[in-house]
Amino acid sequence: MLKSCHGMVGAGLIGLATLGGATAASAQPKSRPPVPAPSPRPTPEGSVRLSICEIVARVEAQGYRDIEEIEREGGNYEVEAKDSQGRSVELKVNGTSGDVEDFEFISD
């Protein structure tokens, strides 16, 4: 289950920092500049696709919770989550707006 994008990123960084007893700072040569954050990727239509974390935030803002899975389908996303009444649903989410465009119930 996806708890939080910030939590997943933080846990990943902690894992990298403690891997093999090395710290994140000592793992990179001092002469290299820091790697910039990835820039948004345009979709084939030229619009910018939202990141996974942005999709999570927008789906949760629309009343869904307990996100289990997110899968990119072309320029859009399929998201498995629970609706406000606790039912499992598969959502079709617009990749540029984060709007839920369609859904279907999943049998548990």
Side-chain angles (χ1 to χ4, degrees), residues 3 5 50 52-67 70 79 81-84 91 93 97-100:
K3 295 290 184 187
C5 280
L50 297 172
I52 296 290
C53 287
E54 291 169 319
I55 291 294
V56 168
R58 301 224 180 161
V59 166
E60 288 177 341
Q62 293 174 71
Y64 297 94
R65 57 185 171 81
D66 298 338
I67 296 172
I70 298 177
V79 178
K82 302 265 188 210
D83 68 6
S84 61
L91 309 170
V93 181
S97 70
D99 293 334
V100 174

Side-chain angles (χ1 to χ4, degrees), residues 87-89 104-108:
R87 300 173 293 194
S88 295
V89 292
E104 61 184 55
F105 293 108
I106 302 172
S107 58
D108 289 328

Side-chain angles (χ1 to χ4, degrees), residues 13-95:
L13 292 176
I14 291 168
L16 286 175
T18 58
L19 185 62
T23 65
S26 66
Q28 291 186 354
K30 300 224 184 252
S31 61
R32 271 192 181 171
V35 177
S39 59
R41 296 185 179 230
T43 64
E45 299 82 28
S47 54
V48 176
R49 182 184 311 128
L50 297 172
S51 71
I52 296 290
C53 287
E54 291 169 319
I55 291 294
V56 168
R58 301 224 180 161
V59 166
E60 288 177 341
Q62 293 174 71
Y64 297 94
R65 57 185 171 81
D66 298 338
I67 296 172
E68 295 281 335
E69 183 178 338
I70 298 177
E71 184 177 325
R72 190 171 61 206
E73 291 289 327
N76 296 316
Y77 293 90
E78 289 185 358
V79 178
E80 289 184 16
K82 302 265 188 210
D83 68 6
S84 61
Q85 294 156 349
R87 300 173 293 194
S88 295
V89 292
E90 181 177 275
L91 309 170
K92 307 292 185 205
V93 181
N94 183 296

